[in-house]
Amino acid sequence: MVHITINGQELTVEPGMTVLQAAKQAGIDIPTLCHHPAISDIGACRMCLVEVAKQRALQPACTFPVTEGMEVQTESPKVVAARKFVLQLLFSERNHYCMYCQMSGDCELQALAYRYGLDHWIYDRPFEPMPVDGSRRYFLLDHNRCVLCRRCIRACEEIVANHTLGTRQRGSKTMISADLDVPFGKSTCVSCGTCLQVCPTGAVIDRKSAYRGRVSRGDVQSSKSVCVGCAVGCGVVVVHRAGHIVRIESDWDAEPSRGLLCVTGRFEQLEEVRPRLTKPLVRRNGTLVETDWDAAMEAAVVGFRKARTSGAIATGRATNETFRALARTFALTGTWGKPLPVLGYGKPGTLADLEGADAIVVAGADPAETHRVVAYRIRRALDHGARLFLVDGGGGEYLQPFATLSVPPAEAAKVVEVVADASSPVVIYGAGLQESALKALKALDGKATFIGLPAAANARGAEAEGVKSWNGTSAVDALYVLAGDDPAEPQELPQAGFLVVQSAYRSALTDRADVVLPSPAWAERSGHVTNLEGRTCAFEAAFPAPEGVPAEWQPLATLAERLGKA
């Protein structure tokens, strides 16, 4: 341990810590701008300068390591003067008229100006208007607001491993650029939005949430939840106002994503345009008409009592509690979507295994298409020296250029032969895994860890409750379809003479139903889902569902009770 003193307070800290880390551990606030806890420090902004005894110059706390006996002052007159000077220089460059900026009130640069009493500029401002890149669908880049902290560049490189962002030109002409200075919308950007979340100013702007409320003023609330866009189970923070989602942010502390999101988790879930269902519907004289819950449930009960055979098929986005109610109500159940092949061998792995992997095999899967965060984690592992092997076209266009070897299923043994020499290999497989590749990969049993990519978001939770992928008859007399808020409808449904659909939105599926029951959307639900690792994730509703819309599992529980199956 190392003994240091900060502002007269004696501390005992771990060796290797920076002054900033030691101060945070002790609850001492040192202002920062280019620092972000999820990315590496570069000491560029000079806001965290501190005075260290026996050092001739002020030192950046974010990169300066602690040493035995060190004495530090974080708010000495010399330090405060230096920070004010840095702020004056930053405000004298580009356009920082706060009253016109969508980040006003929630801007880190503005907050620092208030902290150190800046109320005007002391330097002339040779302001030259800079371009605004609006070529991206979900967010835009305003170079006028940029302070060149390079957080976005480091996030794109270290968190997502996409390496899209960099800088061009030098000195006062320096600007953030995408790839070889192409428009953002024509670059290799994957729209994960990580740069958007780490930006401390209004340089990267979310199109949908701009000017819709300030965090600092309490206009919006934040609730933690779990993304059900795929089976990864990323932690998200739902920023909402008056029962409407303003934006979705990543949860830096949540496993297994640790702040990483994809375009589905951050943006696409806000693109819903289907009409919302808030009242039950019953078909009368060939037309769906609104009714009350009691009448709708009675119509469903009558239909199922008349049926000789009945079953239920559900979206894989449902909660564990809903799948439990589904299995209790119907003997014949299933989810839509192709199931994972049963390996019969291999140690189950977690996404954390990718961090230390030296060889990664992707077989019968395209993570960049179905489980994007897994693809980003693979690219991150490649940046740290891992080798990538693809079987049966696995990996798709996003991963193919980085493969050491890519083979068809019949030649999977070639990959196994090379990977057998690795010290910590990981095999990632999907529903497209062919029988020949499945047999060949068995040679890695005991050597590699295996991670399956289920098509359904909560496939592991459904299976644990006894609901597997639909493998029942192709026709039943009565069918219950739990669609929830799934944007993808089932490609093929069992034929049924009587159809009940539980859905959050009106669609072609609900239009042909005999009974339609409203369902909450994902941000309105509470419960548990189980991700592809087998990790059970709990979440609470960000805000209540519309009046009259019950919990997702409630209609099933009511139906079971009335059918005498409770």
Side-chain angles (χ1 to χ4, degrees), residues 1-5 10-13 66-71:
M1 302 299 286
V2 175
H3 302 87
I4 65 172
T5 302
E10 295 183 358
L11 307 173
T12 302
V13 299
V66 297
T67 57
E68 181 64 35
M70 175 184 285
E71 296 181 10

Side-chain angles (χ1 to χ4, degrees), residues 144-474:
N144 297 281
R145 311 290 192 192
C146 181
V147 293
L148 296 173
C149 66
R150 294 168 173 79
R151 277 193 193 178
C152 57
I153 297 174
R154 285 173 285 154
C156 188
E157 175 183 339
E158 300 171 16
I159 300 176
V160 194
N162 204 54
H163 305 279
T164 297
L165 297 177
T167 57
R168 64 182 176 90
Q169 302 190 57
R170 293 293 182 268
S172 62
K173 301 293 186 182
T174 302
M175 293 176 66
I176 301 297
S177 68
D179 294 332
L180 297 177
D181 195 24
V182 299
F184 216 163
K186 295 183 179 179
S187 70
T188 57
C189 173
V190 293
S191 294
C192 68
T194 309
C195 58
L196 169 67
Q197 188 162 343
V198 300
C199 180
T201 64
V204 188
I205 305 170
D206 182 357
R207 289 180 182 269
K208 193 173 185 68
S209 69
Y211 302 103
R212 291 183 63 189
R214 300 177 184 175
V215 174
S216 60
R217 199 168 58 187
D219 298 334
V220 296
Q221 290 77 47
S222 298
S223 306
K224 292 190 176 185
S225 188
V226 178
C227 175
V228 289
C230 75
V232 175
C234 298
V236 297
V237 177
V238 182
V239 181
H240 54 96
R241 182 177 188 176
H244 296 278
I245 301 176
V246 174
R247 64 179 174 273
I248 298 173
E249 298 179 344
S250 58
D251 184 352
W252 298 107
D253 300 322
E255 296 290 353
S257 51
R258 301 289 293 180
L260 184 54
L261 283 183
C262 71
V263 64
T264 298
R266 193 183 298 272
F267 298 115
E268 289 179 352
Q269 298 189 85
L270 303 182
E271 298 293 297
E272 185 60 68
V273 295
R274 293 175 293 176
R276 186 67 195 269
L277 287 169
T278 59
K279 298 281 182 65
L281 306 173
V282 172
R283 188 170 298 279
R284 291 175 181 159
N285 300 321
T287 304
L288 285 173
V289 295
E290 286 189 0
T291 187
D292 56 42
W293 270 96
D294 189 64
M297 292 306 301
E298 185 58 31
V301 169
V302 170
F304 281 106
R305 279 179 177 164
K306 289 180 179 179
R308 291 175 300 172
T309 59
S310 62
I313 188 168
T315 169
R317 295 160 63 102
T319 64
N320 296 349
E321 290 81 1
T322 300
F323 284 126
R324 190 175 306 135
L326 194 75
R328 186 183 301 124
T329 309
F330 297 97
L332 184 62
T333 61
T335 59
W336 63 73
K338 191 175 181 181
L340 280 175
V342 179
L343 295 186
Y345 59 80
K347 175 187 174 184
T350 67
L351 295 184
D353 295 332
L354 292 171
E355 300 297 327
D358 57 350
I360 300 172
V361 180
V362 179
D366 183 358
E369 183 66 28
T370 60
H371 300 73
R372 293 184 177 94
V373 166
V374 175
Y376 306 154
R377 296 284 289 265
I378 292 172
R379 286 276 293 266
R380 216 155 71 185
L382 300 184
D383 283 352
H384 291 93
R387 293 177 298 164
L388 178 63
F389 302 89
L390 305 178
V391 179
D392 189 20
E397 295 181 1
Y398 186 73
L399 294 177
Q400 278 282 354
F402 305 95
T404 299
L405 182 62
S406 180
V407 300
E411 299 177 16
K414 293 182 179 179
V415 167
V416 171
E417 184 179 352
V418 179
V419 174
D421 294 330
S423 59
S424 52
V426 176
V427 176
I428 296 174
Y429 65 97
L433 183 65
Q434 300 295 314
E435 184 68 24
S436 56
L438 188 150
K439 291 179 180 178
L441 291 172
K442 187 175 182 180
L444 296 176
D445 185 18
K447 178 77 173 178
T449 57
F450 291 77
I451 302 174
L453 303 183
N458 194 20
R460 295 288 297 268
E463 189 171 351
E465 299 296 341
V467 180
K468 299 184 179 181
S469 186
W470 178 267
N471 59 357
T473 64
S474 58

